[in-house]
């Protein structure tokens, strides 16, 4: 059974940094895309970043390019999202997700597995 467990959220001020972690278990993820999504109150869930576990190809949403970095640790089965220069508009619940497709699909509805989410709040 696939489990994705996020941690690292919190309340920070604008300009601060946070690192989110996702512990993945339950299967071998070498053929998976691992992604971070976020959902702000009243808004749809959107992709933030994604990485293919073995190929290493990476995607970033335009809104976070240059500020966020996605990475993975194969030995620990962990996926990270380093968030720098945080803005109030980054406030959302952040979710870790996994998808076994060969080609990245940024629509959250097609992703197979999800964590429970972690709240990130950025004050101005």
């Amino acid at each position: 059974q696939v489990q994705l467990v996020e941690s690292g959220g919190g309340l920070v001020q604008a300009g601060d940094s946070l690192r989110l972690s996702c512990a993945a278990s339950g299967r071998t993820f070498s053929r998976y895309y691992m992604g971070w999504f976020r959902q702000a109150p009243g808004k749809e869930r959107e992709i933030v970043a994604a990485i293919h576990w073995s190929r290493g190809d990476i995607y970033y949403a335009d809104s976070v390019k240059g500020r966020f970095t996605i990475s993975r640790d194969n030995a620990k089965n962990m996926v990270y999202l380093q968030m720098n220069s945080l803005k109030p508009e980054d406030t959302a619940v952040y979710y870790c997700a996994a998808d076994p497709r060969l080609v990245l699909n940024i629509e959250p509805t097609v992703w197979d597995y999800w964590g429970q989410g972690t709240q990130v709040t950025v004050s101005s």
Side-chain angles (χ1 to χ4, degrees), residues 48-122:
V48 175
I51 185 169
H52 193 274
W53 196 284
S54 59
R55 296 198 309 258
D57 47 301
I58 289 175
Y59 169 89
Y60 293 106
D62 288 343
S63 58
V64 306
K65 281 181 182 176
R67 299 189 298 125
F68 290 11
T69 303
I70 189 170
S71 63
R72 83 283 195 213
D73 185 325
N74 292 347
K76 296 181 179 179
N77 257 24
M78 298 288 294
V79 181
Y80 304 101
L81 185 69
Q82 178 67 43
M83 306 186 294
N84 298 329
S85 303
L86 283 162
K87 304 175 181 180
E89 51 264 43
D90 294 318
T91 295
V93 177
Y94 284 71
Y95 298 90
C96 178
D99 182 50
R101 289 170 175 79
L102 294 177
V103 178
L104 177 63
N105 189 321
I106 64 172
E107 288 299 320
T109 54
V110 306
W111 286 62
D112 284 358
Y113 304 105
W114 293 87
Q116 82 288 352
T118 185
Q119 177 71 46
V120 172
T121 303
V122 184

Side-chain angles (χ1 to χ4, degrees), residues 1-7 20-30 32-36 51 53 71-80 96-99 113-116:
Q1 181 178 355
V2 173
Q3 275 197 316
L4 303 173
V5 180
E6 304 97 333
S7 61
L20 304 183
S21 300
C22 173
S25 62
R27 65 183 53 191
T28 301
F29 291 95
S30 59
Y32 280 64
Y33 273 100
M34 305 298 295
W36 287 98
I51 185 169
W53 196 284
S71 63
R72 83 283 195 213
D73 185 325
N74 292 347
K76 296 181 179 179
N77 257 24
M78 298 288 294
V79 181
Y80 304 101
C96 178
D99 182 50
Y113 304 105
W114 293 87
Q116 82 288 352

